[in-house]
Structures are given as structure tokens and as C-alpha cells.
Amino acid sequence: MAQHRSVPCPAQGIALQTGAIFTGLAMGAANAHMAGVAAMNARREGYASQVLSQQLSDAVGAAHEWADYAKRLIAENEKLKAENGRLKEVAAHRRGVIERLKVAA
């Protein structure tokens, strides 16, 4: 038959205390790991945000450069159209002179 003790077993007390200590350490380690993962994710998101911001800035700068280039091309095109009109008038005048000279000859 089992013997009844009036005093608790000292090994059981130490085992409970050791278990509680290890449980606390494990919870602390898990919390530290989760905090580290959260900090790593925050840094990664911050870096991605900076990269996207830089890409957006580069794209806006390139768009402004292309717009300026297009404006220069439009101005050059207008100048060329005016020159073309002037040359057409000169050619028509010369054609008229040539025709008059042919008739006179």
C-alpha cells in the first residue's frame, strides 16, 4: 500500500520551480524572436518605401526631361514649318521668273 507523506516532496517543488523558470525563459525568447521579426519586417518595409520613393522621384524627373524635350521639338518643328513656307514662296517666285523668261525668249 502507498505511504502517505505529510510533507511535500522536495524534488517535486524544485521540478515545479525549474519548470516555471524554463517556461518564463521560453516565453521571453519567443517574445524576443517575435519582436526581432517585427523589427526586421519594419526595416524591410521602410527600405522598400525608400526604394519606391526614389523610383517615383526618378520617374518624375525623367517625365519632366521628356516634356522639355518635346517642347523643344515642337518649337523646332514650328520653325521648320515657317522656313518651309518661306522656301515654297521663293520657289514659286523663281518659277514665275523662269516662266516669264521662257515666254520672252
Side-chain angles (χ1 to χ4, degrees):
M1 199 149 139
Q3 200 175 4
H4 177 69
R5 301 180 84 185
S6 60
V7 177
C9 177
Q12 183 181 9
I14 291 175
L16 286 174
Q17 289 174 358
T18 304
I21 289 171
F22 281 118
T23 300
L25 290 174
M27 287 175 52
N31 288 338
H33 174 72
M34 295 306 289
V37 168
M40 182 181 66
N41 287 337
R43 282 193 303 273
R44 184 179 296 143
E45 288 176 10
Y47 176 74
S49 177
Q50 289 175 351
V51 167
L52 287 175
S53 176
Q54 183 62 43
Q55 289 174 342
L56 176 63
S57 177
D58 292 345
V60 167
H64 285 295
E65 288 175 12
W66 280 106
D68 292 341
Y69 179 65
K71 289 175 188 175
R72 287 193 308 271
L73 288 179
I74 290 169
E76 181 67 21
N77 190 37
E78 292 301 318
K79 289 178 189 175
L80 291 173
K81 282 181 181 180
E83 179 69 12
N84 190 31
R86 188 186 70 76
L87 291 173
K88 281 182 181 181
E89 289 176 12
V90 168
H93 177 66
R94 288 186 180 177
R95 208 172 306 115
V97 170
I98 291 169
E99 291 300 321
R100 284 191 301 275
L101 289 174
K102 278 185 185 179
V103 171

